[in-house]
Amino acid sequence: MENKKCVMLQIIYLLGFSVMFYLSVAVAAETDEDKSSMQTYIVWVKRPVQNLFFAKSHEDLESWYQTFLPDTIANSNELTKPRMVHTYRNVATGFAAKLTPEEVKAMEQKEGFVSAHPERILPLHTTHSPNFLGLQQGLGVWKGANYGEGVIIGVLDTGIGPDHPSFSDEGVPPPPAKWKGKCDFNGTVCNNKLIGARNFQSGKTTGGPPVDDEGHGTHTSSTAAGNFVKGANAFGMANGTAAGMAPYAHLAMYKICSEDGCTEGDIVAALDTAVEDGVDVLSLSLGGPSFPFYEDGIAVGAFGAIQKGIFVSCSAGNSGPSYESLSNEAPWILTVGGSTIDRSIRATALLGDHGEFDGVSLFQPKDFNSALLPLVYPGANGNPSSALCSPGSLENLEGKIVVCEGGRGRVAKGEEVKRAGGAAMILVNQAIDGYSVLADAHVLPATHVSYQAGLNIKAFINSTSTPTATILFKGTVIGDPLAPKVASFSSRGPSIRSPGILKPDIIGPGVSILAAWPVSVDNGTEGKATFNMVSGTSMSCPHLSGIAALLKSSHPDWSPAAIKSAIMTTAEVENLAGSAIVDQTLFPADIFALGAGHVNPSKANDPGLIYDIQPEDYIPYLCGLNYTDEQIQVITQQTVNCSQVGAVPEAQLNYPTFSIKTGSSETQTQYYTRTVTNVGPANSTYELALVVPPKVGMSVNPQVLTFTEVNQKITYHVEFNAHDDAGKDGVPFAEGYLRWVSDKHSVTTRIAILILKAI
Ligand SMILES: *[C@@H]1O[C@H](CO)[C@@H](O)[C@H](O)[C@H]1NC(C)=O
Ligand SMILES: *[C@@H]1O[C@H](CO)[C@@H](O)[C@H](O)[C@H]1NC(C)=O
Ligand SMILES: *[C@@H]1O[C@H](CO)[C@@H](O)[C@H](O)[C@H]1NC(C)=O
Ligand SMILES: *[C@@H]1O[C@H](CO)[C@@H](O)[C@H](O)[C@H]1NC(C)=O
Ligand SMILES: *[C@@H]1O[C@H](CO)[C@@H](O)[C@H](O)[C@H]1NC(C)=O
Ligand SMILES: *[C@@H]1O[C@H](CO)[C@@H](O)[C@H](O)[C@H]1NC(C)=O
Ligand SMILES: *[C@@H]1O[C@H](CO)[C@@H](O)[C@H](O)[C@H]1NC(C)=O
């Protein structure tokens, strides 16, 4: 009994904000003594050996899976059915079923069993408030590559608001003949834009069409592939023409999440179906903490997808700025971090001493006259919950402008201030979030300012007996020269499960993104063209999914790894002002925040060279992670023998970046190769430009690459030598790059050096 409790606590801890959902499941289950410990397990089994009598038809797989269920229930169809939640046949070999720990134990004895783990519930990757602010993306719509025509993007999310004008099919041709998907909406709701819509939520008894009750899925879908909509805005802000990254691509929604999270078994089921339906790109703005890839439903399902040539883009997570905080680390996935765009929805705090501090707010009331109001900091009483303006912590603030400390529930803080009679709110960042601010749909006049501004405002309050302040609403301001900036929330590397692969891969817009929303968030908006601004790596991921669709449209023969390479080797590490991209501190962001850098779609469309990887190339890499043959088979669904294939170090995978671990005192030499494929002009000559990371020596051979044919491959060698003093100064990592430059192209491989035993 004691043991069981521990397991439960650990799961709840790992689930983070999905706690409520999990608890309700647990409570419901407890009503029946026998079923109290029953939960959904993901069970991986061996692929049945193919022979004349055991073809791989779906029915045969199903009956194979049934043999793993406990004998007592296997005999009774009626009881068996509800136990089996999902059966997988494309991207994974196994199933999801409701089982007790005892039943799982019994199953372990069966021939063909590989592993089982309780299904996890993964959060969506918006920052934690339900009212994230977003930023309109629609400006400067990317017009390359046929607007993504002919490409199908599958989005796994909370459903979709199908009649939104962003999903109009004006200008969108019918789907390609290979499309086999279904639309579970009534009659004519689906069209040439929204070509598929299905509901995979096993937790909900309703089934039914994949209606978006939350907003997240409508937002991410329209960011990836929304059609053009003029006059899109939220609260009148960020007004302009909205469009997704691939406005003429097709969309297929696979509903797997509610606002409480997304269950792993449903995610794998949706991936399994999407692959069979014929999608080209998969977009997943969700994820949990890092697990070994063979235990991670998204990693396993994504491998099945790339085996079929399908590109998989996932959000990096919102657990920044701490290091080692990533989700979705597998090297066959594009892992996308979040950054700002050059627009702010400005609201300036003006103090009684004329000090001004720029901040942001989506809600900008026209009837606020910006007269100076008495300024108070409830946290001055020493009570942390008053400082945070937590629910129930405030009273008697009639007519005042109130300073609240930031953190989770930004909009809720404003609700508390309003409840206590406050006239306005200045939301100040905690130290860790620095200068990273988000434009939210506040319920009262408000502005979100930096940590530094907060210090100044609090010092001003201390300096006078009658502090006053107000807010000046300045609307939509475009042209921040420091954009893109890495958002504080964006999860950081190094990768926990595979530190020899640099992650995140790329950053893209994720702060204050304006995109479609199923319902009006603003009483002033009429009709169906409703938009909202939200923030998170959930918003960055579909930007990259849409850009991948554009590349797929202009280069139909490129593999998922080739598309990824094109995006990464052409990424920007400088901001609009031409200096290094900064993070929430306004100091240069490091390589574990940026990955390869910020996406540049037009450069990605013409990269010159690519670093390609075939699905089978991952096998020696997985052997090098010391996974067992059986564990690797869970991922690859084919027989693997590492002693025959051989293992390679992680950094030997033909990845478009390098992440090298090196010791501190001894000199270590490491050799790797990389193979580039010429996708530029047939006759091209590339010369080496090398910025050697501090702490190591490095050499590359040859230093000139001469191509005479398209698709010609050349392999080069790289040698790293750790300096004797590496790590002595306690600096745990270093960065540099290796670049191949021709007269038309510049192909950059960013290099991270992780110094072990530093300090
Ligand atoms: C879809 O059809 C069902 C049953 O035919 C009906 O009850 C429902 O109102 C319809 N929904 C929409 C959005 O038309
Ligand atoms: C948005 O822009 C359009 C076109 O310029 C204009 O007609 C419309 O009034 C604007 N709406 C708002 C709320 O500013
Ligand atoms: C303001 O004064 C209080 C009490 O004297 C002090 O604790 C606090 O540190 C001061 N804050 C600032 C920002 O100076
Ligand atoms: C929207 O308008 C309705 C009716 O006028 C009002 O009750 C509601 O509070 C308003 N909602 C917001 C968010 O302002
Ligand atoms: C795998 O095992 C070998 C031998 O024990 C070890 O040298 C290597 O560091 C391990 N690799 C990983 C990724 O753990
Ligand atoms: C894997 O290959 C090695 C070396 O060829 C062989 O000895 C071993 O039996 C093989 N393992 C399996 C499970 O086939
Ligand atoms: C590439 O260069 C070779 C030798 O100079 C020449 O024969 C060939 O025609 C060139 N190919 C193209 C596509 O220009």
Side-chain angles (χ1 to χ4, degrees):
M1 211 60 220
E2 206 51 44
N3 232 345
K4 224 176 260 176
K5 259 186 203 154
C6 282
V7 170
M8 187 89 113
L9 281 176
Q10 192 183 3
I11 290 166
I12 291 170
Y13 167 73
L14 291 174
L15 294 178
F17 76 57
S18 313
V19 168
M20 302 272 284
F21 182 66
Y22 184 82
L23 284 179
S24 67
V25 170
V27 169
E30 262 167 31
T31 56
D32 183 331
E33 186 70 20
D34 281 348
K35 291 180 187 159
S36 61
S37 53
M38 193 179 287
Q39 57 180 313
T40 302
Y41 280 79
I42 309 284
V43 181
W44 303 134
V45 301
K46 288 195 175 134
R47 196 97 188 160
V49 180
Q50 248 178 298
N51 60 35
L52 278 178
F53 307 103
F54 215 150
K56 280 198 302 184
S57 79
H58 193 206
E59 292 68 31
D60 288 344
L61 270 179
E62 289 234 342
S63 32
W64 169 240
Y65 296 157
Q66 291 287 355
T67 65
F68 289 90
L69 294 182
D71 294 336
T72 46
I73 56 173
N75 293 332
S76 159
N77 246 342
E78 198 181 271
L79 283 169
T80 307
K81 207 154 184 226
R83 293 295 202 96
M84 193 65 99
V85 180
H86 294 291
T87 54
Y88 308 127
R89 55 178 156 156
N90 297 305
V91 301
T93 308
F95 55 89
K98 292 197 171 77
L99 298 163
T100 65
E102 293 72 27
E103 288 168 343
V104 173
K105 237 188 162 57
M107 196 186 280
E108 284 168 8
Q109 309 308 318
K110 300 204 174 177
E111 182 65 31
F113 173 90
V114 176
S115 64
H117 64 268
E119 164 179 80
R120 290 181 276 261
I121 300 171
L122 309 180
L124 294 161
H125 278 162
T126 43
T127 46
H128 191 66
S129 158
N131 298 299
F132 287 117
L133 309 197
L135 172 82
Q136 156 188 10
Q137 131 43 50
L139 297 176
V141 171
W142 164 236
K143 294 185 179 182
N146 316 318
Y147 298 96
E149 218 173 274
V151 178
I152 302 165
I153 305 178
V155 181
L156 275 63
D157 214 300
T158 59
I160 193 164
D163 49 5
H164 194 283
S166 287
F167 309 122
S168 148
D169 67 357
E170 196 181 333
V172 185
K178 66 165 182 173
W179 175 245
K180 291 195 288 181
K182 277 175 51 181
C183 177
D184 288 342
F185 281 117
N186 285 358
T188 58
V189 170
C190 283
N191 57 20
N192 288 338
K193 165 59 71 181
L194 182 63
I195 58 172
R198 305 184 64 170
N199 192 347
F200 282 86
Q201 284 192 289
S202 57
K204 311 275 170 196
T205 46
T206 54
V211 176
D212 185 7
D213 306 314
E214 208 278 340
H216 189 272
T218 301
H219 200 275
T220 56
S221 299
S222 67
T223 300
N227 211 328
F228 298 96
V229 182
K230 290 191 181 132
N233 65 77
F235 296 92
M237 297 297 121
N239 189 34
T241 297
M245 293 295 101
Y248 290 170
H250 308 287
L251 278 168
M253 168 55 62
Y254 298 86
K255 178 169 178 169
I256 45 152
C257 309
S258 66
E259 61 193 2
D260 303 311
C262 329
T263 56
E264 196 181 3
D266 297 349
I267 295 169
V268 181
L271 291 171
D272 205 57
T273 304
V275 163
E276 190 166 330
D277 286 351
V279 303
D280 299 299
V281 174
L282 282 159
S283 190
L284 286 81
S285 290
L286 54 105
S290 184
F291 289 97
F293 303 142
Y294 52 84
E295 271 187 14
D296 175 342
I298 294 180
V300 170
F303 195 87
I306 65 116
Q307 282 176 308
K308 304 247 155 76
I310 299 163
F311 188 89
V312 185
S313 166
C314 294
S315 44
N318 297 332
S319 304
S322 324
Y323 287 112
E324 297 190 315
S325 54
L326 291 165
S327 298
N328 302 319
E329 298 182 327
W332 47 89
I333 289 172
L334 183 76
T335 310
V336 188
S339 50
T340 65
I341 61 173
D342 70 338
R343 178 174 51 213
S344 120
I345 311 300
R346 187 165 296 166
T348 302
L350 169 66
L351 308 186
D353 68 354
H354 307 296
E356 288 193 17
F357 300 94
D358 284 341
V360 296
S361 173
L362 178 60
F363 175 60
Q364 305 225 338
K366 292 195 179 65
D367 56 358
F368 186 71
N369 71 7
S370 295
L372 288 170
L373 301 167
L375 174 65
V376 294
Y377 174 50
N381 71 6
N383 179 342
S385 67
S386 307
L388 290 164
C389 301
S390 304
S393 68
L394 304 180
E395 54 192 36
N396 300 329
L397 294 172
E398 271 71 19
K400 296 200 163 78
I401 179 164
V402 180
V403 176
C404 298
E405 303 278 354
R408 296 193 157 187
R410 299 183 300 278
V411 172
K413 292 168 191 287
E415 285 165 356
E416 174 64 8
V417 170
K418 192 174 181 181
R419 192 193 57 74
M425 170 175 71
I426 301 176
L427 181 64
V428 305
N429 263 350
Q430 296 189 359
I432 194 169
D433 292 319
Y435 290 85
S436 220
V437 292
L438 307 171
D440 291 299
H442 291 291
V443 298
L444 81 175
T447 182
H448 181 188
V449 300
S450 70
Y451 174 66
Q452 187 56 50
L455 291 182
N456 291 336
I457 291 166
K458 283 182 248 172
F460 166 68
I461 293 174
N462 274 8
S463 72
T464 164
S465 54
T466 55
T468 58
T470 190
I471 298 172
L472 309 175
F473 290 106
K474 297 184 175 169
T476 309
V477 180
I478 292 176
D480 176 6
L482 292 186
K485 297 189 282 254
V486 179
S488 161
F489 60 72
S490 187
S491 287
R492 312 293 153 104
S495 166
I496 295 171
R497 299 296 162 182
S498 184
I501 298 289
L502 177 63
K503 292 277 174 172
D505 290 309
I506 194 84
I507 56 169
V511 175
S512 302
I513 302 301
L514 184 84
W517 203 252
V519 294
S520 175
V521 292
D522 167 11
N523 274 357
T525 311
E526 297 293 330
K528 290 174 171 173
T530 54
F531 288 82
N532 197 5
M533 237 182 219
V534 293
S535 301
T537 54
S538 276
M539 284 62 245
S540 320
C541 162
H543 280 91
L544 271 294
S545 312
I547 290 162
L550 294 171
L551 301 188
K552 183 92 187 170
S553 183
S554 51
H555 306 283
D557 57 327
W558 281 7
S559 70
I563 292 174
K564 189 167 157 176
S565 170
I567 289 171
M568 289 169 62
T569 61
T570 57
E572 307 285 349
V573 294
E574 291 181 352
N575 59 27
L576 296 180
S579 43
I581 290 176
V582 300
D583 63 15
Q584 74 285 345
T585 64
L586 300 188
F587 286 101
D590 66 51
I591 195 164
F592 298 115
L594 279 178
H598 189 262
V599 61
N600 181 327
S602 49
K603 285 188 184 168
N605 200 31
D606 181 20
L609 303 176
I610 53 177
Y611 293 83
D612 208 355
I613 303 174
Q614 299 309 316
E616 58 269 23
D617 298 336
Y618 292 104
I619 295 172
Y621 157 83
L622 292 167
C623 296
L625 284 177
N626 293 339
Y627 291 0
T628 65
D629 292 350
E630 205 166 63
Q631 287 165 342
I632 297 172
Q633 277 162 223
V634 165
I635 299 168
T636 61
Q637 297 191 83
Q638 51 186 248
T639 313
V640 169
N641 184 340
C642 283
S643 19
Q644 275 173 8
V645 176
V648 301
E650 297 157 72
Q652 178 52 33
L653 189 65
N654 200 38
Y655 216 69
T657 49
F658 264 113
S659 181
I660 306 298
K661 288 169 283 182
T662 183
S664 55
S665 50
E666 75 274 26
T667 300
Q668 277 182 319
T669 303
Q670 301 179 44
Y671 301 94
Y672 300 100
T673 64
R674 285 289 186 271
T675 300
V676 283
T677 307
N678 180 24
V679 296
N683 284 327
S684 300
T685 300
Y686 286 84
E687 287 183 15
L688 179 69
L690 189 60
V691 169
V692 178
K695 325 287 184 194
V696 296
M698 203 183 149
S699 65
V700 177
N701 191 8
Q703 305 204 342
V704 176
L705 305 178
T706 306
F707 294 91
T708 55
E709 284 170 47
V710 173
N711 289 328
Q712 183 184 347
K713 292 181 190 292
I714 296 181
T715 297
Y716 64 87
H717 299 255
V718 186
E719 183 182 323
F720 295 93
N721 298 292
H723 286 174
D724 286 348
D725 62 349
K728 292 232 172 89
D729 55 4
V731 177
F733 59 85
E735 50 188 89
Y737 63 81
L738 179 170
R739 177 177 288 160
W740 295 105
V741 185
S742 74
D743 53 353
K744 296 199 177 63
H745 296 102
S746 176
V747 186
T748 305
T749 285
R750 298 246 289 151
I751 301 164
I753 307 288
L754 274 164
I755 299 159
L756 305 177
K757 293 182 266 168
I759 297 161

